[in-house]
Amino acid sequence: LSLCFPQKLWRMVESDQFQSIWWSWGGKCVAINEELFKEEVLGRGGPLRVFVRQSMKSFLRQMNLYGFTKMQGDVKRSASLPEFLAEEAAASAHSKILYYYNPLFNREHPHLLEKCKRR
């Protein structure tokens, strides 16, 4: 079963398998620890490969093509403890955290995912 980009992204964010990507701001944004993501997700090969392209530039281009917009990371701290701890751990590791928002990509409204189309 081949999933489209938003579906793959949703499964990754929902999964406990990946430490480099998580829900932020109460499930309204996706937070990505850039360095860990490059290693953990984009560095996978063979049958474990998640995306066809393995560069951060290509991944971010896909984010943009599907309507995600980059947010400033210091706008608002996460309210939930797991989100807060993940952000604190990433910040203490001096990693760059990227935040992306798409109104159709919301943890509380998975049914909107089918409307998330490539531009």
Side-chain angles (χ1 to χ4, degrees):
L1 181 68
S2 181
L3 301 173
C4 68
F5 180 82
Q7 292 169 324
K8 283 183 187 179
L9 190 64
W10 182 275
R11 286 207 175 160
M12 288 176 59
V13 179
E14 284 288 300
S15 170
D16 292 332
Q17 184 180 357
F18 300 99
Q19 302 302 307
S20 61
I21 187 167
W22 63 92
W23 289 110
S24 188
W25 297 333
K28 292 177 175 56
C29 282
V30 176
I32 303 165
N33 177 325
E34 187 175 8
E35 291 307 313
L36 185 57
F37 188 81
K38 286 178 189 176
E39 185 182 316
E40 182 182 58
V41 178
L42 300 177
R44 289 177 167 218
L48 297 176
R49 179 183 251 173
V50 180
F51 298 109
V52 175
R53 304 267 189 269
Q54 292 182 286
S55 77
M56 195 68 189
K57 188 175 179 180
S58 293
F59 173 77
L60 296 178
R61 187 178 302 120
Q62 287 293 315
M63 294 285 281
N64 291 326
L65 284 172
Y66 279 94
F68 286 83
T69 54
K70 189 173 183 182
M71 308 291 289
Q72 291 301 317
D74 58 359
V75 173
K76 182 179 162 191
R77 298 299 292 182
S78 296
S80 81
L81 185 60
E83 288 176 17
F84 179 78
L85 292 175
E87 289 166 4
E88 284 298 303
S92 68
H94 304 292
S95 298
K96 184 175 178 187
I97 307 299
L98 306 173
Y99 295 92
Y100 280 87
Y101 170 76
N102 182 327
L104 300 174
F105 199 86
N106 186 312
R107 184 181 216 169
E108 300 301 316
H109 303 285
H111 61 279
L112 293 176
L113 195 59
E114 64 191 44
K115 295 180 180 182
C116 192
K117 304 283 185 214
R118 189 175 173 141
R119 290 181 185 169

